[in-house]
């Protein structure tokens, strides 16, 4: 479904913008498309598009206006759209099912779950993605040029990953539903894996940028999800001050720490505000990790 755009600077002297959510092709199929819920989809697309227009809009007299709104928040802040229910996401344990039963490293995982995806990735495209994920990973330094990258592809999912010595683990995955996923091992300078807020923000920014570069059909918006897989051997601290011979652990279990994708951002904001998005996700992850300790 799509939106149409109209603007006016008519005789009233008051400019306005009209965004319409279009739910049918005007070819006699309206009854069937309405029955399939396309009116709601068209309305949501129009709302998300308008939110992005507002976020990018700069009035002609912007220099005369205060830099923040009545609430004190910047006018161009990242806009989150609450969802009625969390978006469906395949977590690392779903992408690599055997991982729940193996003693691998603690991982940082990042997922972009599409919201209102209008078309699935074709099986033909899924097969072609295997080599592209490997090439993208190597070109960005996510995979080194010397390590072996394992590829698993099916009609529903394509995964490119490496598992090496000294806790090395990293991977990229794309599902037919359009979900984009990446994961990598947390740093381990000593006895424990370390969740360092500054380092985590840098890595989430890098992983989001990597996922944005994958050439598959793009949804109008995405619900970001982040998590820590195997958190029992993870401690919060600064990498620069960690004692490699000591570890202060608080987790008694190994249940993953996850931030569910219950809010969405537009695809344009995902590209234009990656660092800001990563900062918010990092703070949420740190708070969730601390709140899950027993």
């Amino acid at each position: 479904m799509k939106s149409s755009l109209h603007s006016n600077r008519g005789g009233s002297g008051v400019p306005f913008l009209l965004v319409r959510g279009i739910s049918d092709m005007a070819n006699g199929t309206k009854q069937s498309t309405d029955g399939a819920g396309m009116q709601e989809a068209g309305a949501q697309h129009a709302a998300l598009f308008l939110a992005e227009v507002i976020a990018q809009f700069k009035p002609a007299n912007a220099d005369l206006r205060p830099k923040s709104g009545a609430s004190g928040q910047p006018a161009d802040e990242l806009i989150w759209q609450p969802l009625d229910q969390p978006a469906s996401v395949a977590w690392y344990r779903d992408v690599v099912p055997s991982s729940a039963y193996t003693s691998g490293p603690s991982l940082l995982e990042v997922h972009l779950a599409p919201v209102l995806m209008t078309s699935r990735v074709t099986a033909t495209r899924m097969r072609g993605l295997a080599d592209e994920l490997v090439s993208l990973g190597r070109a960005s330094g996510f995979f080194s040029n010397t390590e072996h990258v394992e590829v698993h592809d099916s009609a529903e999912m394509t995964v490119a990953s490496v598992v090496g010595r000294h806790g090395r683990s990293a991977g990229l995955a794309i599902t037919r539903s359009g979900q984009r996923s990446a994961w990598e091992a947390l740093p381990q300078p000593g006895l424990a894996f370390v969740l360092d807020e500054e380092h985590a923000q840098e890595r989430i920014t890098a992983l989001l940028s990597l996922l944005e570069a994958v050439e598959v059909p793009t949804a109008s918006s995405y619900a970001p999800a982040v998590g820590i897989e195997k958190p029992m051997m993870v401690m919060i601290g600064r990498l620069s001050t960690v004692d490699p011979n000591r570890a202060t652990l608080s987790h008694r279990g190994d249940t993953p720490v996850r931030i569910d994708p219950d809010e969405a951002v537009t695809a344009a904001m995902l590209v234009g505000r990656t660092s800001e998005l990563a900062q918010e996700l990092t703070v949420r992850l740190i708070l969730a990790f601390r709140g899950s300790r027993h």
Side-chain angles (χ1 to χ4, degrees):
M1 301 302 100
K2 61 181 181 178
S3 301
S4 65
L5 183 66
H6 304 278
S7 61
N8 181 60
R9 295 181 179 271
S12 64
V14 180
F16 68 88
L17 180 72
L18 174 65
V19 180
R20 298 175 57 205
I22 300 175
S23 62
D24 64 88
M25 301 296 292
N27 59 0
T29 62
K30 178 174 175 57
Q31 183 175 1
S32 59
T33 56
D34 288 354
M38 292 298 101
Q39 285 184 320
E40 179 181 356
Q44 291 191 37
H45 282 191
L48 290 170
F49 175 80
L50 183 58
E52 178 62 14
V53 170
I54 294 173
Q56 300 295 331
F57 180 72
K58 182 177 181 180
N61 60 343
D63 293 338
L64 303 178
R65 300 189 176 212
K67 297 300 181 181
S68 32
S71 64
Q73 297 297 321
D76 59 348
E77 65 182 357
L78 181 68
I79 296 177
W80 292 83
Q81 299 291 331
L83 302 176
D84 293 335
Q85 60 184 12
S88 176
V89 61
W91 293 91
Y92 174 76
R93 291 194 179 191
D94 304 313
V95 176
V96 187
S98 62
S99 62
Y101 310 102
T102 59
S103 56
S106 299
L107 301 173
L108 170 67
E109 54 180 311
V110 178
H111 309 276
L112 294 174
V115 178
L116 295 175
M117 192 74 173
T118 56
S119 62
R120 288 165 60 85
V121 184
T122 64
T124 302
R125 183 73 185 101
M126 291 295 294
R127 185 171 58 183
L129 277 172
D131 291 339
E132 292 181 29
L133 290 181
V134 176
S135 298
L136 177 63
R138 292 199 193 281
S140 64
F142 187 63
F143 303 141
S144 75
N145 290 326
T146 58
E147 61 189 351
H148 173 67
V149 181
E150 295 185 0
V151 175
H152 302 280
D153 58 344
S154 67
E156 297 299 322
M157 184 182 303
T158 298
V159 181
S161 63
V162 298
V163 178
R165 301 172 60 184
H166 309 297
R168 167 66 171 157
S169 180
L172 298 170
I174 302 294
T175 69
R176 275 207 70 197
S177 66
Q179 177 181 316
R180 306 165 185 232
S181 301
W183 61 87
E184 66 179 19
L186 288 171
Q188 187 184 21
L191 299 176
F193 295 90
V194 178
L195 180 58
D196 178 309
E197 183 169 344
E198 182 177 350
H199 176 268
Q201 182 177 331
E202 291 176 355
R203 294 312 303 156
I204 291 176
T205 300
L207 296 180
L208 287 173
S209 297
L210 191 59
L211 294 178
E212 292 164 11
V214 182
E215 296 185 3
V216 292
T218 302
S220 59
S221 60
Y222 289 88
V226 294
I228 299 294
E229 172 69 19
K230 294 184 172 64
M232 187 167 60
M233 292 300 295
V234 176
M235 61 177 287
I236 293 180
R238 295 188 62 85
L239 286 168
S240 59
T241 61
V242 168
D243 184 343
N245 299 313
R246 299 183 59 184
T248 304
L249 306 176
S250 302
H251 279 267
R252 296 179 182 175
D254 220 12
T255 302
V257 176
R258 294 170 174 172
I259 304 300
D260 289 326
D262 56 5
E263 292 182 281
V265 296
T266 63
M269 282 192 173
L270 179 63
V271 174
R273 305 181 188 277
T274 306
S275 296
E276 186 180 351
L277 175 60
Q279 180 180 25
E280 174 67 15
L281 293 174
T282 302
V283 172
R284 294 185 185 186
L285 184 60
I286 295 288
L287 293 175
F289 185 91
R290 288 175 173 160
S292 66
R293 294 184 297 184
H294 301 289

